[in-house]
């Protein structure tokens, strides 16, 4: 019962915040709505008993990504210009709604092989074993590290002012 | 490592309660929520008194000594004064953001205390991701500070908020890396387990880690000498320039509650938390927290404020490499010599820490002119 | 190879502050403990002597602020000036002491008193009998060495504190 | 009706479509980045839902979600760098004005 209640609250907050990101005039407010949406997503993770990921979600998304986005909002000084839309409004809406319809149809009509086992609750240790053990995901982890390094270097190179 | 049964059998990790707790989950929750709120409020008053008196004595003054015996009621008087003041909102402020900012800055600080063990098992939720939860939750406070700076529509506020964000984002990295060193030794993310695993306080096993954590923590919570996001002499008061009355009181509360939270975390991670001989565990916890806070006051009195470029340089050129080296050394020690006595590590690590600090100070000089950020 | 800047300065500074924690603080608790101020203090008020004043108005001329107003009338019987009004606006006074130095008859002194703040600006304007010497308004030794000799010697906080530290 | 896998998947689909619509229609480049983050989050939700309902003991979906987060962090860093570079070049981040690659 408590779980359902939590799920519905989180779902409503999440979708509302996502719409707020789209429709708020002030870009800074939109960024704050995005933070709220991220926190709600973390709550959804908790209801899925993925507590480690919930903490990582808050740490990465709320602590780092949203702060970066807010800094981007500040630096581009487009806060007061609002949140204009382009000519693609109607086609995009049609595409989005059709995609949603297809997805919902597929999701509801597929017979999912739902397992009867309870989910693993302290996920920290199994996740670590999964990620770092020999027949786990150690290679993707290293590739991810390289990706992050490349992203940092690329961002610095793109953003650096050329010295004359 | 053995995971306790009650952790495995719980339906949700959030609902972990000690197995023998009377009355079930909700009573436990209510009890500890009240304890935490009372603890934070009372401790804030206490540490404000300690800070003002201690700073006074270190600066050859007396500090507040008029209100009540030894000035003990001074924080109460200040609180009453600030609550009765007029609440001014700037005309061009972003009203909603301005109003929400103190709340968003305050709630994470209270939430940190949910996983801090006051004594064995005496905590609101013994999360198995305890310390990660703390890092995650404390990063939310940044958003509150940024909202305060933005909502005031004041350039000093915005500058203070920007500095705060830059500092917190940079200092979170060495902070997390030093915590990883502790986690490697204790083998658990749960705060209670970390304390249980500390037969030797980790300040001895991880001396370099403690030093880096202390520096990074004081920067993270805007304590002097890293308080340049609210540098009174340059930015009037940083992000809370435009706040008054109750909302200012909230920010003041946040500042000291964060200091207490950091002291409690340092106590738990490095000073073996509630463990100690003779005295009851909660008293040990309290004493250690206050001692750590006193060291913070001590550094605040002694050291002058750094510049913003020095702040960034310290984070990226001093703390970050040393934290990496510390993590590396710790991992090697745990992997290759898992069974020998930790007392050997104590000696080795102290020597390594001293050598590294001296070596790095040779490579990195903070007073060497203006450093490029 | 010299190793400096490795935090020894920080440690020294910390040692200084912690040693100050156990020393006697260099303060006095003002309303209860009062220190003697300088004997030649140019306090925030003027003290005027009606007997010595001849009404020559030299002080009013010397005042760079024009804060002194003096009105006199001629007393033909005794062949002298009669001071009708002597008014000082202490709000304008900059405590330069030029009036005291200018007075040829030693009728004007700087005040030795302090804590003479007023609530209203009008109260700062003092006239006639308010300016006379009284127990609340003692005379300072400024420009008058003979008065300065009688006043108590100035107590310095440093001396008091070192005395106290010696006793401890 | 208790909460099942379908609920999470539909929720994830809704969030994904909101993000898609925003990314297609908005003209402010920073908002577009935010919408892309929303889409990534939607994918994460479905991954974790699959993980905890279909293979509850394996955690594979959670591992994937961690990689998605890594990619998201890299993406936002590069994306913001690109946005700032565009802002410097065009003194604005309206995507309608940016037509260097159009013809």
């Amino acid at each position: 019962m408590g779980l359902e209640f939590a799920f519905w609250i989180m779902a409503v907050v999440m979708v509302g915040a996502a719409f707020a990101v789209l429709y708020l005039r002030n870009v800074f407010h939109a960024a704050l709505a995005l933070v709220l949406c991220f926190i709600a997503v973390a709550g959804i993770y908790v209801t899925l008993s993925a507590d480690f990921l919930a903490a990582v979600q808050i740490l990465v998304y709320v602590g780092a990504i949203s702060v970066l986005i807010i800094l981007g909002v500040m630096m581009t000084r487009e806060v007061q210009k609002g949140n204009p839309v382009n000519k693609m409004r109607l086609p995009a809406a049609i595409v989005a709604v059709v995609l949603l319809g297809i997805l919902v149809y597929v999701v509801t009509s597929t017979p999912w092989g739902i397992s009867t086992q309870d989910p693993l609750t302290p996920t920290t240790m199994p996740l670590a074993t999964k990620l770092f053990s020999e027949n786990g995901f150690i290679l993707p982890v290293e590739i991810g590290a390289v990706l992050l390094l490349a992203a940092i270097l690329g961002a610095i190179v793109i953003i650096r002012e050329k010295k004359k | 490592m053995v995971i306790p049964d009650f952790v495995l059998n719980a339906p949700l990790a959030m609902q972990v309660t000690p197995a023998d707790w009377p009355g079930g989950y909700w009573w436990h929750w209510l009890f500890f929520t009240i304890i935490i709120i009372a603890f934070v409020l009372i401790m804030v008053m206490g540490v404000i008194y300690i800070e003002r008196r201690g700073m006074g004595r270190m600066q050859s003054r007396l500090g507040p000594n008029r209100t009540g015996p030894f000035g003990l009621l001074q924080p109460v008087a200040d609180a009453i004064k600030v609550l009765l003041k007029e609440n001014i909102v700037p005309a061009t402020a972003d009203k909603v953001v301005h109003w929400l900012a103190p709340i968003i800055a305050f709630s994470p600080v209270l939430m940190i205390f949910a996983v801090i063990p006051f004594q064995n098992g005496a905590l609101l939720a013994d999360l198995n991701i305890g310390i990660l939860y703390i890092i995650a939750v404390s990063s939310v406070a940044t958003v509150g500070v940024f909202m305060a700076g933005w909502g005031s529509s004041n350039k000093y506020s915005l500058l203070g908020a920007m500095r705060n964000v830059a500092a917190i984002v940079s200092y979170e990295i060495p902070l997390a890396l030093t915590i990883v060193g502790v986690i490697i030794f204790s083998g658990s993310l749960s705060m209670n387990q970390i304390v249980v695993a500390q037969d030797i306080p980790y300040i001895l096993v991880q001396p370099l880690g403690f030093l880096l954590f202390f520096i990074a923590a004081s920067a993270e919570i805007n304590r002097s000498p890293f308080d340049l996001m609210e540098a009174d002499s340059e930015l009037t008061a940083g992000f809370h320039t435009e706040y008054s009355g109750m909302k200012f009181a909230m920010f003041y509360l946040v500042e000291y509650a964060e200091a207490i939270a950091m002291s409690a975390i340092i106590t738990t991670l490095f000073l073996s938390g509630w463990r100690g001989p003779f005295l009851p565990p909660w008293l040990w916890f309290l004493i250690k927290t206050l001692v750590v806070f006193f060291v913070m006051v001590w550094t605040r009195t002694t050291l002058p404020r750094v510049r913003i470029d020095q702040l960034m340089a310290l984070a990226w050129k001093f703390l970050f490499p040393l934290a990496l080296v510390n993590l590396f050394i710790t991992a090697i020690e745990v992997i290759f010599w898992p069974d020998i006595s930790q007392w050997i590590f104590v000696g080795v690590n102290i020597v390594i820490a001293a050598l590294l600090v001296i070596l790095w100070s040779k490579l990195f000089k903070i007073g060497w002119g203006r450093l490029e950020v | 190879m010299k190793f400096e800047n490795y935090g020894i300065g920080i440690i020294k500074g910390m040692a200084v502050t912690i040693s100050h924690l156990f020393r006697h603080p260099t303060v006095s608790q003002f309303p209860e403990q009062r220190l003697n101020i300088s004997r030649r203090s140019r306090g925030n008020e003027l003290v005027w002597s009606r007997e010595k004043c001849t009404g020559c108005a030299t002080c009013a001329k010397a005042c760079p602020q024009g804060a002194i107003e003096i009105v006199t009338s001629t007393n033909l019987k005794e062949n002298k000036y009669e001071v009708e009004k002597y008014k000082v606006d202490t709000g304008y006074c900059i405590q330069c002491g030029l009036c005291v130095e200018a007075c040829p008859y030693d009728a004007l002194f700087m005040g030795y008193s302090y804590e003479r703040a007023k609530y209203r600006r009008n109260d700062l304007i003092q006239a006639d009998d308010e300016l006379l010497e009284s127990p609340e308004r003692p005379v300072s030794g400024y420009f008058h060495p003979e008065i300065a000799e009688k006043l108590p010697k100035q107590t310095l906080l440093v001396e008091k504190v070192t005395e106290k530290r010696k006793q401890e | 009706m208790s909460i099942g896998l379908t609920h999470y998947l539909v929720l994830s689909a809704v969030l994904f479509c909101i993000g898609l619509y925003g990314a297609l229609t908005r003209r402010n480049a920073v908002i577009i980045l935010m919408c892309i983050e929303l889409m990534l989050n939607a994918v994460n939700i479905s991954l974790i839902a699959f993980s905890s309902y279909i293979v509850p003991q394996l955690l594979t979906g959670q591992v994937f979600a961690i990689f998605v987060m890594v990619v998201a962090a890299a993406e936002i860093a590069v994306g913001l760098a690109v946005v700032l570079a565009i802002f410097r070049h065009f003194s604005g981040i309206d995507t309608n004005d940016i037509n260097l690659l159009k013809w």
Side-chain angles (χ1 to χ4, degrees), chain A residues 124-149:
Chain A
T124 325
M125 283 258 287
L127 260 182
T129 342
K130 203 97 193 155
L131 276 174
F132 299 115
S133 64
E134 276 171 29
N135 43 9
F137 290 83
I138 186 69
L139 184 65
V141 167
E142 308 232 325
I143 294 174
V146 175
L147 173 72
L148 279 179
L149 182 65

Side-chain angles (χ1 to χ4, degrees), chain D residues 25-78:
Chain D
T25 54
R26 300 293 131 172
R27 272 159 54 187
N28 189 325
V30 178
I31 296 273
I32 292 178
L33 276 181
M34 293 184 201
C35 291
I36 293 173
E37 290 303 321
L38 285 184
M39 289 157 77
L40 286 170
N41 265 295
V43 172
N44 268 354
I45 290 177
S46 63
L47 281 176
I48 293 172
F50 279 133
S51 167
S52 69
Y53 276 99
I54 294 182
V55 280
Q57 299 291 322
L58 286 185
L59 297 177
T60 334
Q62 300 203 10
V63 174
F64 285 178
I66 286 179
F67 288 122
V68 172
M69 282 178 189
V70 170
V71 174
E75 175 258 329
I76 201 73
V78 177

Side-chain angles (χ1 to χ4, degrees), chain A residues 28-29 51 55 67 70 74 122 124, chain B residues 13 94 128 136 146 150 165 189:
Chain A
F28 185 76
H29 289 182
D51 45 355
V67 166
I70 291 173
M74 297 282 146
T124 325
Chain B
D94 198 335
N128 58 341
F146 213 116
W150 168 261
V165 168
L189 287 171

